[in-house]
Amino acid sequence: MAVRDGVVAWLGDDSVGRAQFPDADSVDLDGAFVAPAFVDSHVHLTATGLQLTGLDLSAATSREQCLRVIADHVAANPGQPVWGHGWDDSLWPGGQTLTTADIDAVAGQHPAYLSRIDVHSAVASTALRNRVSGLLAVAGFDPQLPLSAQAHHLVRAEARRLLTARQRDDARRAALDAAAAAGIVAVHECAGPQIGGVEDWNELRCTDDGVEVVGYWGEAVSTADQARALIETTGARGLAGDLFVDGALGSHTAWLLDPYADAAGCRGNTYLDTDAIAAHLFACTEAGITAGFHVIGDGAVTAVVDALEQTVERFGVPAVARCGHRLEHLEMVSAQQAAHLGEWGITASVQPMFDAVWGGDDGMYASRLGTHRAATLNPFAPLASAGVRLALGSDSPVTAMDPWAWVRAASHHQTPGSAISVRAAFGAATRGAWRAGGIRDGVTGTLVPGAPASYAVWDTADLDVSAPADSVARWSTDPRSRVPALPNLDPDRPLPRCRRSVHRGVVLHG
Ligand SMILES: [Zn+2]
């Protein structure tokens, strides 16, 4: 492969290349594997970096261990406010969650904010709660249990105010470096008023670290003029991303049609109703702007599909499809809804690690929903075969920016029939992700002459052409069919290790 001015100039046989480019600098790959670099279609960079540079609770295997890690952090950082992330009580024995009293016992007088793994609820110390006026009166408040909904947003905003500009900047750079080291050269930052706020997003826009940051802004509008103005002031690629229709299953805040199996009468939360969703879609479609939503539960998905149907009736399929509207997570979608979304040109921005971590008969999804409903979650193969375009991502810090792990999870789905092939998953984490971000030139995310030279170099064992065992092969595995090989991602194999990542000809890592 020859690269000139950040673009793939030529591709072919080694001897021909050397003859054609005699003066070129050449890199001996020593048997390494080169592939288009990855894109992460859903991240939160500052929160990711705060976990990388600070208090990471994701490895805690019990409530007691989690509290010990927090206590050690407090002892090592005396006098500092505490920002931590990643505890997951669904994986702990005993099923006991964290309480305000637990946190006060280890954090003392320090304001402490500790988000649950899904970032849809958090425990907060009394010292932090006391800084927020009116907290007791809003939705999602509880004196002892983790805060959700508006109460969570208020304590999160207050905890954010306690971070210094230096802490935020260090965090962002750590997150971008981690992306580059994982073979990721572009990320879709899902920003919004309740996530990091406008200050965080504006600081991130000014952070030049090599990894390309495409921003989505999650704020609802109701007129085309409002949509245009918000795109103008934020510089976002769309009014999409984490515009919350609902919450998450782990926090019992995903909006369900039927109650949770483990919380009598609870159907989760509704943050945007069908009318508000339709108003946002009308406004964005009229302005030709990408709209989108965070949508997980079947109640939320139904509201979004109904609102999209109204949008199609009003503007027609071509106008809707042109906007490239996208749905984040889209975990509980029926075959009929998938067929509509495919017809309307909608992209599903999905996180395969959700199934790897929470799927299966014994997983968190099965406890929340029962095994029957849980087995319908994250139906990647049915979505793809309905024509819904997939883009893969991590929702980091919810799951890691570890793209081969996503590809493995998507191709080894815990529900038979929901897996896609390694090749399809790889495409959804490269070309498909660029397309989800509005790049529709047909070459970005591939390595052909004329494409941006955005690639990663991997140390990997054997390459092969594989298809999921539980479905018909979607292409020939005969070598003569010229289907390119990819790393073998069987669960017992080590994942490829990134040696170098390059974006538009510029080395970002290695
Ligand atoms: Zn998110």
Side-chain angles (χ1 to χ4, degrees):
M1 181 169 77
V3 172
R4 194 163 44 200
D5 302 329
V7 174
V8 177
W10 176 88
L11 195 71
D13 185 77
D14 200 44
S15 57
V16 178
R18 286 179 191 280
Q20 202 168 334
F21 301 93
D23 302 326
D25 294 332
S26 71
V27 180
D28 184 354
L29 295 173
D30 187 28
F33 169 66
V34 179
F38 287 105
V39 178
D40 191 331
S41 297
H42 190 130
V43 301
H44 304 281
L45 288 170
T46 309
T48 298
L50 287 169
Q51 187 182 23
L52 291 169
T53 58
L55 178 54
D56 179 356
L57 302 171
S58 61
T61 53
S62 71
R63 181 173 154 275
E64 293 68 30
Q65 193 200 354
C66 183
L67 291 168
R68 255 195 321 273
V69 173
I70 300 166
D72 291 348
H73 177 86
V74 172
N77 298 274
Q80 295 294 310
V82 180
W83 178 293
H85 167 75
W87 56 275
D88 185 352
D89 50 341
S90 78
L91 303 176
W92 297 343
Q96 235 184 318
T97 192
L98 297 173
T99 66
T100 310
D102 291 336
I103 301 308
D104 287 348
V106 290
Q109 293 309 303
H110 298 92
Y113 168 84
L114 305 155
S115 47
R116 194 181 179 285
I117 183 68
D118 55 22
V119 207
H120 284 272
S121 58
V123 276
S125 67
T126 299
L128 178 60
R129 288 165 174 250
N130 286 346
R131 298 176 67 97
V132 180
S133 62
L135 185 65
L136 280 64
V138 300
F141 174 80
D142 187 280
Q144 282 299 323
L145 293 178
L147 303 170
S148 62
Q150 179 65 5
H152 174 223
H153 292 150
L154 290 175
V155 293
R156 183 176 172 85
E158 183 60 28
R160 226 165 44 213
R161 276 191 279 278
L162 297 172
L163 297 169
T164 64
R166 174 69 191 272
Q167 276 175 310
R168 292 191 300 263
D169 190 58
D170 286 350
R172 282 181 207 109
R173 290 182 192 282
L176 290 164
D177 290 350
I184 294 166
V185 299
V187 296
H188 296 174
E189 167 77 9
C190 294
Q194 277 139 9
I195 300 170
V198 73
E199 182 189 38
D200 178 61
W201 167 237
N202 282 332
E203 287 172 356
L204 176 58
R205 284 170 72 187
C206 301
T207 307
D208 184 8
D209 200 69
V211 173
E212 186 169 333
V213 178
V214 174
Y216 288 91
W217 185 254
E219 185 171 343
V221 294
S222 50
T223 69
D225 282 342
Q226 274 176 355
R228 290 187 202 100
L230 208 45
I231 288 291
E232 179 73 28
T233 55
T234 59
R237 187 68 55 87
L239 299 178
D242 279 337
L243 174 48
F244 297 113
V245 174
D246 66 345
L249 291 161
S251 291
H252 289 105
T253 54
W255 173 9
L256 299 183
L257 294 174
D258 297 308
Y260 283 85
D262 60 354
C266 172
R267 287 194 173 83
N269 292 358
T270 301
Y271 300 134
L272 277 183
D273 63 15
T274 309
D275 289 345
I277 298 164
H280 184 72
L281 284 166
F282 290 179
C284 290
T285 305
E286 186 184 329
I289 289 169
T290 301
F293 307 92
H294 161 115
V295 51
I296 287 183
D298 51 4
V301 173
T302 300
V304 167
V305 173
D306 288 351
L308 274 164
E309 188 162 25
Q310 292 176 32
T311 312
V312 166
E313 278 164 15
R314 183 149 162 176
F315 295 91
V317 170
V320 170
R322 244 194 322 272
C323 293
H325 299 317
R326 51 185 282 174
L327 301 177
E328 309 301 312
H329 317 310
L330 194 68
E331 292 196 76
M332 288 182 84
V333 55
S334 72
Q336 197 191 0
Q337 289 167 333
H340 284 309
L341 297 175
E343 270 169 50
W344 301 334
I346 306 299
T347 294
S349 162
V350 298
Q351 295 73 35
M353 292 308 292
F354 289 6
D355 174 69
V357 180
W358 297 311
D361 285 348
D362 308 317
M364 180 270 283
Y365 290 151
S367 343
R368 293 285 184 273
L369 303 171
T371 48
H372 180 72
R373 269 191 299 176
T376 67
L377 292 194
N378 298 298
F380 302 143
L383 280 168
S385 56
V388 179
R389 289 165 172 172
L390 299 180
L392 304 193
S394 65
D395 199 4
S396 179
V398 178
T399 73
M401 295 187 291
D402 187 358
W404 288 114
W406 318 334
V407 173
R408 174 152 77 188
S411 57
H412 293 74
H413 200 290
Q414 300 209 52
T415 299
S418 288
I420 52 176
S421 67
V422 170
R423 187 97 214 139
F426 181 80
T430 51
R431 197 167 38 144
W434 284 109
R435 194 169 49 207
I439 309 295
R440 294 169 211 165
D441 58 16
V443 294
T444 300
T446 67
L447 293 175
V448 296
S454 298
Y455 59 92
V457 180
W458 302 92
D459 284 320
T460 183
D462 41 342
L463 302 176
D464 67 1
V465 175
S466 61
D470 61 0
S471 63
V472 291
R474 289 175 179 81
W475 56 76
S476 170
T477 52
D478 182 333
R480 286 166 301 179
S481 68
R482 299 179 66 90
V483 173
L486 282 168
N488 182 323
L489 300 177
D490 286 348
D492 56 338
R493 309 285 178 119
L495 290 173
R497 280 172 41 92
C498 184
R499 197 191 279 184
R500 167 180 283 208
S501 50
V502 178
H503 187 36
R504 301 185 196 282
V506 177
V507 176
L508 304 185
H509 166 78

